[in-house]
Amino acid sequence: MGKYGLKIKNFEAAVLYEYNLGLRTSMSMTDAMLSNSLLLDFLEKNGLEDYKGKSTRDVICIKFSFGCNDFKTNMNRLEEQIDKGSCENIEYLEELKEKLKANKERYSKITAQELRTKFYTEGVDVTWTDKKKTTTIHYKMLYRSTGKAKEGSCMFINERLYDKAIRWMRMGIELPEHNAPIVEIGAYASLVGSGIVNRIKIDPKNILVLKDVDSYTKTSVISIETDENKHSFAKKIENYPLKNTMFDGQALIDSSIFPEWGEGYILLRHHFFKAAAFNSEIQLFMKDYFGDEYDTAEVTDMFGRKMKAKDVLLITTDNALKYLKFDVSFEYWSDWVRENGCEFGIVKTAHPSKLGELQRMSYQMVNALDTRKMDSVIKTSLEYIDRLKRDDDFFLDYLRKNANFANDFEVLVALVENDRDFMDSDYFRERRNYVLKNYAMNFKNGRLLQNADNLVIVGSPYAMLLHSVGDDPLSDPTFGVEDVAIQCWTERFDDGEYLAEFRSPFNSLNNLGCLHNKKCKLLERYFNIGKQCIAVNMNGTDFQSRNNGSDQDFSEMGQF
């Protein structure tokens, strides 16, 4: 297997459909990737064929970007090309025209959605031609991942592997004939197909599952409603109850099993399971809480299952366990987890900004701010541009951090490192001016620099520890409620600082808030979330409502 997975081919459904009908003489395809995942691990152990560990034909990707046109539409387009003389080879177009006429009865209008339905229900054939032989493989739709939902692309698998793969992905869950939750099981079964960077072993016997907790606060809101004539109007409501689901999709993981290369948290995936697990001192808390009774102390999960406090290495809630929507027990799920040696996939961890202490704003964020504050908002960016102009080493460091295959930054740096005088050449000066000009253009488009970063959110983590031992999570002493700001804790900023908080993605002016960074000894003792994560008070605040229901199961990012 390659570093990132196996190469596969990506097809356009309409092109594949017409090729199979004989309406095309060739079939275009592009390269795609079957990323390293728990699913790929399973397939490689269960019959997936690959070529030198680099590519496979047993899995393909199909996009449904457009449909097929009928005979009349195709003919009109072809005649327009011939009339315009847009192609040097008119004879070739005339040949296509004759072929079009010969296959007139085969052409029919079919939409992208109709193609999707057809491929989903019937599957599709792909003919592969090698130097020595021609092979036709029938593929069946395996899953449509959430990451590909906007593009409308799906993964199809060789029918030889389909039954085994789909049973494993769905944990053997059988769907009813009527009113089956197809969409839900499709979304959750695909979690094992998420691309991962590494794996971590966690036995279900060391996982404590808690019922999530709702916290309410009352505030004044402006509600957009409609009258009997379906006209919208704004209505101000006092003492409106707002809810935070305090630990929605998050988990705490003991530092003893947290990977050394991780930064603050790891995003975990397994069968019907997804959670952002934050580096914590669970066992230190248990020892402090139970004292002399630590060795024999027990805690109880939401299923009534008792376990030794000293055995708890991961704490999560029911919102992370998607199998609960299908009336499956924890024990049943545990058996499937143990099938692959209890290895959970790690999708990602936190990473610092390439700009060090700085981060770029988007134009949406800038538009949300008071124009009277713009002088202070643009101050850091102007200073940064000025330093790029004056400081040679700073400019070279900028080139190093932003080098990629599409620019010559790496070459420029190498030439300067070979001979410092190269910086005085006309060529380097021209390139520097060009780089600075483009950077200034980004600045004008709202890509302003701030002392900021994208931080991963964890909700009231100490309250989660209290909840794990049966104490009231709403009695969490680490945070208080303020009138203007919501209290938080992060090592990224100084104690006592007030922070502007922008939800990411930033959809509207409503997704802007004010946080107050408060140092806390309890949080410092029991959590190692570092500079790339932020703990936010979910008790008695409007944080989730203010941020369009921001939760932690996808590790929502907030810029501060």
Side-chain angles (χ1 to χ4, degrees):
M1 189 195 310
K3 181 179 178 181
Y4 302 105
L6 293 175
K7 291 182 180 179
I8 60 174
K9 291 300 181 181
N10 182 38
F11 298 88
E12 185 58 58
V15 174
L16 182 56
Y17 178 74
E18 290 186 346
Y19 178 82
N20 286 344
L21 285 178
L23 302 178
R24 289 176 179 264
T25 56
S26 63
M27 179 172 56
S28 60
M29 64 187 83
T30 57
D31 290 331
M33 181 68 69
L34 180 60
S35 301
N36 285 332
S37 64
L38 298 182
L39 174 60
L40 182 52
D41 292 346
F42 173 82
L43 292 176
E44 289 198 317
K45 294 176 183 177
N46 289 272
L48 183 80
E49 295 180 357
D50 61 50
Y51 177 72
K52 295 183 178 180
K54 295 181 179 180
S55 63
T56 182
R57 288 179 175 176
D58 281 339
V59 178
I60 61 173
C61 181
I62 298 181
K63 297 179 67 174
F64 297 85
S65 304
F66 52 86
C68 301
N69 291 318
D70 57 17
F71 171 79
K72 183 178 180 180
T73 303
N74 280 315
M75 181 60 75
N76 289 340
R77 287 184 177 179
L78 191 55
E79 288 179 341
E80 283 180 12
Q81 284 185 286
I82 295 173
D83 292 340
K84 290 179 180 178
S86 57
C87 179
E88 294 180 2
N89 192 352
I90 297 297
E91 292 182 3
Y92 174 71
L93 293 180
E94 292 291 350
E95 287 179 11
L96 290 180
K97 185 175 178 180
E98 292 305 314
K99 183 172 183 178
L100 193 65
K101 291 178 180 179
N103 291 282
K104 180 177 180 180
E105 301 303 321
R106 294 186 181 183
Y107 283 94
S108 62
K109 183 175 179 58
I110 181 169
T111 65
Q113 185 56 45
E114 289 169 338
L115 273 176
R116 183 187 296 277
T117 301
K118 183 178 183 64
F119 281 23
Y120 278 21
T121 54
E122 301 175 11
V124 63
D125 288 339
V126 175
T127 300
W128 305 90
T129 302
D130 295 322
K131 293 180 180 180
K132 295 182 180 180
K133 62 177 181 177
T134 297
T135 306
T136 298
I137 300 176
H138 185 71
Y139 294 90
K140 300 179 74 172
M141 202 282 278
L142 186 61
Y143 68 93
R144 181 184 183 186
S145 70
T146 53
K148 298 290 185 182
K150 291 182 180 179
E151 300 175 14
S153 57
C154 299
M155 307 302 285
F156 282 66
I157 192 169
N158 189 328
E159 66 175 344
R160 171 177 59 84
L161 299 170
Y162 176 79
D163 289 339
K164 187 179 292 186
I166 200 68
R167 181 179 182 277
W168 183 81
M169 291 180 69
R170 294 181 177 179
M171 296 196 306
I173 295 174
E174 299 289 343
L175 298 179
E177 291 186 14
H178 304 289
N179 300 319
I182 297 294
V183 175
E184 291 84 352
I185 200 167
Y188 300 140
S190 67
L191 291 174
V192 289
S194 301
I196 60 177
V197 296
N198 214 318
R199 299 156 185 80
I200 184 173
K201 186 170 290 188
I202 310 173
D203 195 299
K205 70 180 182 182
N206 299 121
I207 300 176
L208 178 68
V209 183
L210 306 172
K211 185 70 177 175
D212 217 324
V213 177
D214 292 334
S215 171
Y216 292 86
T217 186
K218 291 185 177 181
T219 187
S220 298
V221 301
I222 297 177
S223 175
I224 306 301
E225 302 181 3
T226 55
D227 59 22
E228 61 275 6
N229 297 317
K230 296 184 179 181
H231 294 155
S232 299
F233 67 96
K235 178 181 179 182
K236 188 171 183 179
I237 304 176
E238 303 290 343
N239 296 317
Y240 187 87
L242 296 178
K243 181 182 77 171
N244 283 333
T245 302
M246 294 184 67
F247 318 121
D248 193 1
Q250 73 187 34
L252 305 179
I253 183 171
D254 192 69
S255 61
S256 64
I257 63 171
F258 190 83
E260 292 182 1
W261 53 267
E263 182 69 38
Y265 92 114
I266 50 177
L267 191 58
L268 298 177
R269 292 286 190 272
H270 212 303
H271 283 300
F272 290 71
F273 176 92
K274 58 177 180 175
F278 294 85
N279 189 355
S280 310
E281 300 293 344
I282 296 174
Q283 284 305 304
L284 177 59
F285 172 79
M286 296 295 181
K287 290 176 182 177
D288 290 347
Y289 185 85
F290 289 108
D292 294 339
E293 299 177 358
Y294 166 73
D295 287 332
T296 58
E298 292 183 329
V299 292
T300 306
D301 70 4
M302 63 174 289
F303 310 115
R305 183 177 63 109
K306 291 186 180 296
M307 59 188 298
K308 292 287 185 66
K310 64 181 182 180
D311 291 337
V312 179
L313 297 179
L314 185 80
I315 302 172
T316 190
T317 72
D318 54 315
N319 285 319
L321 307 181
K322 306 306 179 182
Y323 67 81
L324 295 175
K325 301 176 184 289
F326 301 92
D327 196 27
V328 171
S329 70
F330 181 84
E331 289 73 21
Y332 182 86
W333 175 75
S334 299
D335 289 340
W336 282 90
V337 171
R338 292 190 177 103
E339 272 201 4
N340 78 330
C342 301
E343 285 195 337
F344 284 68
I346 301 176
V347 175
K348 61 181 176 180
T349 187
H351 296 284
S353 168
K354 286 200 276 187
L355 298 173
E357 295 293 302
L358 302 178
Q359 184 62 267
R360 290 186 179 92
M361 300 179 72
S362 65
Y363 75 88
Q364 293 96 332
M365 295 175 181
V366 177
N367 289 344
L369 301 176
D370 192 327
T371 55
R372 292 171 295 182
K373 303 291 185 182
M374 282 301 114
D375 286 343
S376 61
V377 173
I378 67 174
K379 182 174 181 291
T380 302
S381 295
L382 293 177
E383 291 174 349
Y384 190 85
I385 293 174
D386 185 58
R387 189 175 176 187
L388 285 175
K389 293 178 180 178
R390 294 183 296 99
D391 190 328
D392 292 343
D393 290 327
F394 189 72
F395 178 74
L396 289 174
D397 191 51
Y398 171 83
L399 295 181
R400 291 188 188 95
K401 291 178 178 177
N402 292 276
N404 58 54
F405 73 92
N407 60 44
D408 63 348
F409 292 0
E410 191 173 348
V411 174
L412 290 173
V413 171
L415 289 170
V416 173
E417 289 175 345
N418 182 63
D419 184 356
R420 186 82 178 185
D421 291 339
F422 178 69
M423 296 187 74
D424 296 326
S425 68
D426 290 341
Y427 179 78
F428 187 87
R429 287 175 177 174
E430 289 175 3
R431 291 295 296 125
R432 186 172 190 168
N433 288 335
Y434 180 79
V435 171
L436 291 173
K437 182 179 179 180
N438 282 342
Y439 188 88
M441 187 61 66
N442 277 334
F443 166 73
K444 293 177 181 179
N445 288 334
R447 301 287 286 168
L448 305 181
L449 291 175
Q450 299 296 337
N451 178 15
D453 214 334
N454 291 317
L455 304 182
V456 187
I457 301 164
V458 55
S460 298
Y462 187 74
M464 198 171 188
L465 287 179
L466 292 177
H467 191 26
S468 72
V469 293
D471 282 357
D472 183 7
L474 300 182
S475 66
D476 176 14
T478 58
F479 292 121
V481 176
E482 301 181 14
D483 291 335
V484 176
I486 296 174
Q487 290 189 0
C488 67
W489 171 67
T490 176
E491 296 176 13
R492 171 64 178 79
F493 295 99
D494 294 334
D495 180 36
E497 275 194 285
Y498 283 90
L499 311 172
E501 169 257 317
F502 297 83
R503 184 192 193 276
S504 180
F506 188 69
N507 299 319
S508 72
L509 297 176
N510 304 322
N511 300 154
L512 173 62
C514 179
L515 301 182
H516 188 193
N517 197 29
K518 299 282 285 185
K519 188 175 182 179
C520 175
K521 291 182 178 179
L522 286 174
L523 295 176
E524 289 181 316
R525 179 170 176 78
Y526 297 121
F527 302 98
N528 312 306
I529 60 175
K531 290 188 174 183
Q532 299 308 127
C533 301
I534 184 168
V536 178
N537 183 21
M538 297 290 179
N539 183 14
T541 69
D542 63 352
F543 183 84
Q544 288 179 341
S545 296
R546 183 176 293 276
N547 289 280
N548 279 6
S550 172
D551 54 23
Q552 290 78 255
D553 61 347
F554 281 107
S555 291
E556 294 269 357
M557 307 293 281
Q559 186 174 41
F560 302 88

